[in-house]
Amino acid sequence: MNIEQTKKNDTLTFHLEGRLDLLSAPKLQDILIPTIDGTQSIVLDLKQLTYISSAGLRVILIAQKTASSLNVALNVNNVSDEVMEIFEMTGFSDFLVFGG
Amino acid sequence: MNNTEVILSIRNLNKTFGNEVILENVNLEIKQGEVISIIGPSGTGKSTFLRAINFLSPLTHGEIYFKGAKITNHNVDFIRQKMNMVFQNFGLFSHLTVMQNITSGQIDLLKLPKAEAKEKAMSILKTVGLAERANFYPNQLSGGQKQRVAIARCIAMNPEVILFDEPTSALDPTMVSEVIAVMRSLAKSGITMLVVTHEMEFAKEVSNRVLYMDEKGIYEAGTPEVIFNNPQKSKTKTFIYNIRSYNYETESKNFDYLELLSGVENFCFRNAINKKISNKLHLLIEELITNIISPERAKWHLNLTHSEVLESFEIIIIYAGEKNNLLETSKEELPLMLVNNIAKSINYDYEDGNNILTLKL
């Protein structure tokens, strides 16, 4: 999986491309989680994300909890139908904030 | 098919080439008027079986009875008139016209007067739609026409049984239907037919009985309804449903996940499985194997199958050890949620010390 970061004002955006699975989830966790503290707003841009498994969902859950405890806004953008289906069947769509 | 007399009885037929066993203890009884299709993968002895029945290839062991009389080297020429064969490559005499090809056997073997043989040949040629080609030579005919002439020549000998050895497999696809049409009409005439064929529609619609050959013999036999719609044995199912499979097994908790992943990827690519389905298969396998099965059991076997005919996908995971449906006892909430939502059906069995999970997509 390819991860790119862009920063605009106080918002740090992570552009995820490819598959977020058992093999790539640790890499995202290592890059994403430490950056939350010290940022006002995080955006996960999933436009190029084609696959997500429970390993990827766990990283997003950790990110969401970490952001929440630090009062950092975490938004998820550009979710494909396939990935949204996974968010819906696991209940992630109930607590993630989309858009913004 | 009203007459139930056994016309052909094959007992303990064995055929070997060198050390290779092709057919082993094949037994079959054929009743008069039966149309039997013989199907199966290449190399399973279908044509060898047919040739052995007609003594074109000597039996290694076994006996064949035609109307109760044992076929031997002494009576085989007479029997071959009663049990004629149509070959894949037609077997016509290229230096003889269509008419001469059909009449020569009648004149030489049946001792029919020439005029009578010609009259009969013309009548048969009309039934196979080739009366206007009577004076043509084989090289002036298309493949489908040649095979119709071969069938006409066969009928002219008044056989009681016709053996067809893949009669359409050497033909251009556009010519298959004209030969099949002749065979259909022949089947209705009440003649006994044994047909080695890859034409499944013919086997399905015209046969009284279908033999699926595999594992050196008749692996499964039944009505077309049973063999094509409800085959009972695994290799028949694989053949009929055109099932492709991918297998992976390990005895280590440190198995090579990348190898498994690339195996599934290749399987999906080779079978032109669309991205959406491919993602679901990957997801099911990732969740099942890495989160539910492998943490609990080191030894497991994965079988992923796809039936083009049924448009279905199946994942079977077998893990040894005490009875434990890990999909019920696992505490992995997210993986369980994904598996339960994505799989259309989940079945658990325990047989001979093996836990068997079957998931359909």
Side-chain angles (χ1 to χ4, degrees):
Chain A
M1 189 181 66
N2 192 31
I3 305 168
E4 273 190 29
Q5 294 177 54
T6 55
K7 190 164 186 182
K8 192 177 177 186
N9 301 326
D10 294 323
T11 299
L12 187 56
T13 301
F14 290 83
H15 307 272
L16 310 187
E17 184 183 343
R19 302 165 61 86
L20 184 49
D21 61 5
L22 178 77
L23 299 172
S24 58
K27 178 183 168 187
L28 177 64
Q29 184 165 348
D30 288 349
I31 294 172
L32 172 63
I33 305 302
T35 61
I36 298 173
D37 194 3
T39 311
Q40 284 196 3
S41 170
I42 299 274
V43 170
L44 298 179
D45 179 3
L46 307 188
K47 190 176 178 185
Q48 307 288 332
L49 189 72
T50 55
Y51 174 96
I52 188 167
S53 69
S54 64
L57 291 172
R58 283 195 194 97
V59 176
I60 292 178
L61 185 61
I62 293 167
Q64 200 277 335
K65 283 183 175 171
T66 309
S68 177
S69 69
L70 296 168
N71 281 326
V72 174
L74 189 145
N75 287 30
V76 181
N77 271 357
N78 300 321
V79 185
S80 67
D81 290 347
E82 284 82 4
V83 173
M84 185 55 91
E85 193 183 352
I86 302 296
F87 284 152
E88 283 170 354
M89 71 175 63
T90 51
F92 273 53
S93 54
D94 296 339
F95 62 80
L96 289 176
V97 179
F98 296 98
Chain B
M1 191 182 62
N2 298 318
N3 198 332
T4 55
E5 183 194 346
V6 172
I7 191 164
L8 205 56
S9 180
I10 294 143
R11 300 178 195 168
N12 299 317
L13 189 152
N14 283 260
K15 178 73 193 171
T16 57
F17 288 119
N19 292 327
E20 196 184 350
V21 178
I22 309 295
L23 298 167
E24 196 169 44
N25 288 329
V26 181
N27 289 285
L28 180 67
E29 292 218 320
I30 299 163
K31 290 174 183 164
Q32 200 149 22
E34 267 198 294
V35 177
I36 295 180
S37 290
I38 302 172
I39 62 169
S42 299
T44 48
K46 304 185 297 295
S47 291
T48 303
F49 181 51
L50 218 58
R51 295 174 71 83
I53 291 174
N54 207 21
F55 269 49
L56 284 173
S57 175
L59 311 185
T60 307
H61 178 73
E63 293 163 347
I64 299 174
Y65 293 83
F66 180 81
K67 289 189 156 178
K70 186 176 170 182
I71 306 177
T72 64
N73 286 328
H74 299 296
N75 63 8
V76 68
D77 288 338
F78 172 73
I79 297 291
R80 278 193 196 134
Q81 288 175 29
K82 299 289 170 193
M83 191 162 59
N84 219 324
M85 193 153 173
V86 174
F87 299 91
Q88 193 180 127
N89 290 313
F90 328 123
L92 298 176
F93 295 113
S94 58
H95 64 290
L96 300 180
T97 63
V98 165
M99 176 59 79
Q100 288 164 337
N101 261 286
I102 299 172
T103 53
S104 62
Q106 298 180 74
I107 295 165
D108 296 343
L109 299 170
L110 300 184
K111 308 297 179 196
L112 242 60
K114 198 172 176 184
E116 197 178 322
K118 281 181 84 169
E119 191 182 331
K120 188 175 174 188
M122 190 51 87
S123 156
I124 296 169
L125 278 173
K126 280 179 188 163
T127 67
V128 300
L130 289 172
E132 289 176 2
R133 298 283 191 275
N135 295 317
F136 282 48
Y137 284 89
N139 64 8
Q140 295 174 297
L141 304 176
S142 70
Q145 289 170 335
K146 283 181 198 168
Q147 194 59 293
R148 282 188 281 156
V149 172
I151 295 171
R153 183 180 60 180
C154 185
I155 299 168
M157 297 302 288
N158 301 326
E160 294 185 46
V161 178
I162 303 182
L163 310 174
F164 291 87
D165 186 11
E166 302 195 22
T168 57
S169 56
L171 300 179
D172 186 299
T174 58
M175 293 170 188
V176 169
S177 61
E178 63 192 74
V179 173
I180 291 289
V182 169
M183 289 171 65
R184 275 177 196 275
S185 105
L186 204 54
K188 283 183 195 155
S189 74
I191 199 162
T192 309
M193 292 166 62
L194 255 84
V195 187
V196 172
T197 186
H198 293 289
E199 295 298 326
M200 294 301 145
E201 285 307 309
F202 173 85
K204 203 180 216 175
E205 290 168 22
V206 181
S207 321
N208 308 110
R209 197 154 39 129
V210 178
L211 313 180
Y212 172 76
M213 289 192 73
D214 211 325
E215 292 191 352
K216 299 168 191 161
I218 299 167
Y219 179 82
E220 187 171 350
T223 61
E225 168 73 17
V226 168
I227 297 295
F228 288 103
N229 298 338
N230 191 21
Q232 300 298 302
K233 297 178 75 175
S234 64
K235 286 195 173 179
T236 321
K237 286 181 188 173
T238 299
F239 181 79
I240 296 294
Y241 296 147
N242 194 12
I243 294 173
R244 313 278 170 82
S245 68
Y246 167 71
N247 288 283
Y248 186 92
E249 63 183 356
T250 183
E251 294 189 10
S252 166
K253 284 196 176 179
N254 298 315
F255 71 98
D256 188 346
Y257 179 62
L258 269 176
E259 187 189 12
L260 169 64
L261 203 62
S262 81
V264 175
E265 190 69 48
N266 281 337
F267 174 83
C268 291
F269 177 74
R270 280 200 318 273
N271 292 289
I273 294 166
N274 71 48
K275 202 68 200 161
K276 196 171 177 181
I277 299 283
S278 162
N279 270 351
K280 287 188 173 175
L281 290 171
H282 273 91
L283 194 54
L284 279 174
I285 290 169
E286 180 179 340
E287 302 305 340
L288 281 162
I289 297 298
T290 67
N291 292 309
I292 297 168
I293 308 294
S294 176
E296 299 296 325
R297 304 289 167 96
K299 187 178 176 181
W300 49 265
H301 176 110
L302 168 90
N303 170 240
L304 166 62
T305 59
H306 166 46
S307 164
E308 223 170 31
V309 176
L310 301 177
E311 295 179 353
S312 68
F313 297 87
E314 192 172 80
I315 295 169
I316 300 175
I317 298 171
I318 301 171
Y319 50 96
E322 77 275 10
K323 187 176 180 181
N324 184 359
N325 181 355
L326 292 171
L327 282 181
E328 282 181 358
T329 56
S330 171
K331 303 281 186 260
E332 292 286 342
E333 278 182 39
L334 268 178
L336 285 172
M337 211 180 278
L338 288 167
V339 169
N340 286 320
N341 274 290
I342 292 168
K344 281 186 184 157
S345 75
I346 299 174
N347 187 54
Y348 170 79
D349 274 321
Y350 188 73
E351 280 175 21
D352 304 325
N354 284 316
N355 296 272
I356 305 163
L357 280 172
T358 306
L359 294 92
K360 290 187 194 296
L361 183 64

